[in-house]
């Protein structure tokens, strides 16, 4: 795909990230098929279909077990509506963690694109190194734009 389209899909993922329920974990994901059609989207927050319980939302520690990452939400949404993400590209606003890398591998995504200006805090370096290795071994191309 051209850099122009890469930037458009990353901009859409960035917009979707603003829907996140938790401002500290704003991540958006857009999964695109080979013909540039959007297959699914997701953002960090409750999985689609789970009601927001105000009591749970008031307590961050109780909230986190229900939080799904953007990639997982996109994959679950596609599965619910019967869409295959095989051979698709995932545009994300943040490099995938190991948990998301596993989900992307299982979904059959073949490429992951994220912004080149992502500043990864030191505490996440080990996890991202591991996720990049996992995706590389699975044959997923990872690009920064």
């Amino acid at each position: 795909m051209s850099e122009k389209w890469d930037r458009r899909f990353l901009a859409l993922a960035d917009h979707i990230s603003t829907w996140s329920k938790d401002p500290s974990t704003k991540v958006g994901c857009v999964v695109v098929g080979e013909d540039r059609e959007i297959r699914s989207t997701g953002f960090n927050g409750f999985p689609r279909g789970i009601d927001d319980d105000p009591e749970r939302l008031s307590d961050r520690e109780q909230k986190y077990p229900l939080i799904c990452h953007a990639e997982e939400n996109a994959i679950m949404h596609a599965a619910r509506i019967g869409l295959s993400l095989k051979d698709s590209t995932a545009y994300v606003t943040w490099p995938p963690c190991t948990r998301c890398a596993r989900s992307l591998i299982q979904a059959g995504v073949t490429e992951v694109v994220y912004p080149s200006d992502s500043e990864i805090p030191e505490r996440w370096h080990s996890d991202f190194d591991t996720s990049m290795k996992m995706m590389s071994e699975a044959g997923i191309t990872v690009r920064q734009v």
Side-chain angles (χ1 to χ4, degrees):
M1 214 165 304
S2 72
E3 191 170 322
K4 175 181 89 172
W5 282 101
D6 287 341
R7 293 197 183 285
R8 285 182 179 181
F9 289 126
L10 284 174
L12 179 57
D14 188 52
H15 172 71
I16 289 169
S17 74
T18 64
W19 302 343
S20 177
K21 307 246 184 254
D22 186 339
S24 68
T25 58
K26 286 192 177 297
V27 180
C29 175
V30 176
V31 184
V32 178
E34 295 175 286
D35 296 327
R36 294 195 301 244
E37 81 280 6
I38 296 172
R39 307 291 288 167
S40 189
T41 63
F43 54 92
N44 279 16
F46 289 93
R48 294 170 193 227
I50 293 182
D51 291 329
D52 295 351
D53 179 347
E55 288 180 24
R56 285 197 124 126
L57 285 172
S58 67
D59 186 343
R60 285 174 58 103
E61 291 183 13
Q62 288 183 14
K63 177 181 170 186
Y64 278 110
L66 285 176
I67 293 291
C68 274
H69 293 199
E71 295 91 328
E72 293 173 321
N73 250 328
I75 291 165
M76 285 191 294
H77 175 65
R80 274 194 207 101
I81 61 175
L83 283 176
S84 170
L85 300 182
K86 190 171 180 357
D87 300 325
S88 294
T89 299
Y91 289 89
V92 289
T93 57
W94 186 258
C97 64
T98 52
R99 174 175 150 179
C100 293
R102 280 189 202 93
S103 297
L104 292 166
I105 292 165
Q106 290 172 351
V109 169
T110 54
E111 186 175 39
V112 173
V113 180
Y114 67 92
S116 58
D117 60 356
S118 300
E119 291 187 31
I120 303 168
E122 185 64 38
R123 70 180 187 272
W124 290 104
H125 281 215
S126 177
D127 185 71
F128 286 125
D129 289 345
T130 302
S131 74
M132 294 303 155
K133 183 178 177 189
M134 288 169 56
M135 289 188 292
S136 174
E137 289 173 356
I140 295 177
T141 302
V142 178
R143 292 188 297 119
Q144 294 180 357
V145 176

